Amino acid sequence: MYADDTAILARNKNPKFINLALNRHLKTLEDWFFKWKIETNVSKTEAILFSKDRSILKYPPIKMNNKIIPWSQECKYLGLILDRKLTWIPHFYYLKQKFRDLTRKFFPILARNSSMSRENKLLIYTAYLRPVLTYACPVWGYAAKANLKIIITQHNIMIRNICNVKWYISNTEILRALEYPTFKEYILRLAIKFYNNIDNHDNEAIKNIPAYIPDPKIKRPRNVLISS
């Protein structure tokens, strides 16, 4: 039996208290793992300190099973690449490459000169390719416009290929003619549904999550509801 993608979170303005809290918690986990004969893979364990402070790497690392876990610049959790400043740039480049790799497999039927109808091409894109770009978008949808452009460009290129349009026709005109939502409109729709489900969820742990109102001055996930 395997259990992976487990996370421990500690918050404090002083990184030294974060270090102390994590080490204490890990020591408690070590005792629990030993009692129940559960083995942990320290080599696959990562530690990341979310902060704009460039000097965080000088703080003492955390330890597990007497092995040092150094601070990382980014880590992968549940398919998301979290960078230290939460700009989401590494994750967007990861999505871009993953999208391109999958697109190559569909190229024979989605190419400009393909004999498949436009409606079926759009159906394939909507069902198989767009979900790659929008995975977990309620979490990163508040990212800066310049960063979001990394994946929005891939979306627009694919739509243009499917429609085989001339260079002088704008993306806005294409989507309007297709009655197809823009990338931002679609992730906003997903975000609204996601956060509504959270607010109305009957799980006690989810109910105990503190609610907050989006604030343009503070970059947090629910800001996608106003930034889009």
Side-chain angles (χ1 to χ4, degrees), residues 60-74:
I62 61 177
K63 295 182 179 181
M64 187 174 187
N65 295 335
N66 292 322
K67 295 182 180 179
I68 293 177
I69 304 174
W71 296 111
S72 302
Q73 292 289 333
E74 60 185 54

Side-chain angles (χ1 to χ4, degrees), residues 29 69 124 138 167 186 201 224:
L29 283 178
I69 304 174
I124 291 174
W167 63 268
Y186 182 66
H201 210 285
V224 64

Side-chain angles (χ1 to χ4, degrees), residues 12-23 49 59-60:
N12 198 287
K13 293 183 179 180
N14 189 334
K16 294 182 180 179
F17 288 105
I18 293 176
N19 180 281
L20 181 63
L22 290 176
N23 279 319
L49 189 59
Y59 290 105

Side-chain angles (χ1 to χ4, degrees), residues 4-201:
D4 55 6
D5 283 339
T6 300
I8 303 172
L9 175 65
R11 296 189 301 173
N12 198 287
K13 293 183 179 180
N14 189 334
K16 294 182 180 179
F17 288 105
I18 293 176
N19 180 281
L20 181 63
L22 290 176
N23 279 319
R24 284 181 176 176
H25 193 84
L26 286 173
K27 183 62 176 67
T28 303
L29 283 178
E30 287 177 23
D31 297 337
W32 189 85
F33 290 149
F34 179 79
K35 176 182 178 181
W36 294 100
K37 295 179 173 56
I38 298 176
E39 185 178 359
T40 56
N41 191 338
V42 180
S43 62
K44 292 185 177 181
T45 303
E46 294 181 287
I48 185 169
L49 189 59
F50 299 108
S51 172
K52 295 181 180 180
D53 186 1
R54 296 182 180 179
S55 63
I56 63 167
L57 298 180
K58 72 180 182 181
Y59 290 105
I62 61 177
K63 295 182 179 181
M64 187 174 187
N65 295 335
N66 292 322
K67 295 182 180 179
I68 293 177
I69 304 174
W71 296 111
S72 302
Q73 292 289 333
E74 60 185 54
C75 67
K76 190 174 183 181
Y77 180 67
L78 295 177
L80 290 173
I81 298 179
L82 308 170
D83 60 285
R84 185 169 60 84
K85 296 183 180 180
L86 289 180
T87 63
W88 299 103
I89 293 177
H91 182 65
F92 291 157
Y93 278 115
Y94 166 74
L95 287 183
K96 176 181 176 181
Q97 187 58 50
K98 185 177 181 180
F99 178 77
R100 285 186 169 185
D101 292 341
L102 185 59
T103 299
R104 293 189 185 97
K105 298 179 181 180
F106 286 94
F107 181 77
I109 57 177
L110 296 182
R112 289 174 177 266
N113 58 355
S114 170
S115 59
M116 179 173 287
S117 67
R118 181 185 300 170
E119 290 75 16
N120 286 337
K121 287 182 180 180
L122 273 177
L123 183 62
I124 291 174
Y125 172 71
T126 302
Y128 293 100
L129 296 176
R130 188 173 64 176
V132 174
L133 293 178
T134 58
Y135 174 73
C137 61
V139 177
W140 50 254
Y142 70 94
K145 293 180 180 179
N147 299 343
L148 281 171
K149 191 176 180 181
I150 297 172
I151 52 177
I152 292 178
T153 299
Q154 302 305 310
H155 167 80
N156 292 337
I157 289 175
M158 180 54 62
I159 295 296
R160 298 185 72 87
N161 285 337
I162 289 175
C163 297
N164 192 20
V165 296
K166 301 298 182 181
W167 63 268
Y168 52 80
I169 301 178
S170 70
N171 296 323
T172 303
E173 292 176 339
I174 297 171
L175 295 173
R176 185 184 299 117
L178 293 174
E179 296 184 351
Y180 199 81
T182 66
F183 192 80
K184 286 189 176 181
E185 288 173 347
Y186 182 66
I187 65 174
L188 175 61
R189 187 185 307 168
L190 293 179
I192 292 173
K193 181 179 179 181
F194 174 78
Y195 289 115
N196 283 340
N197 287 339
I198 287 181
D199 294 336
N200 300 319
H201 210 285

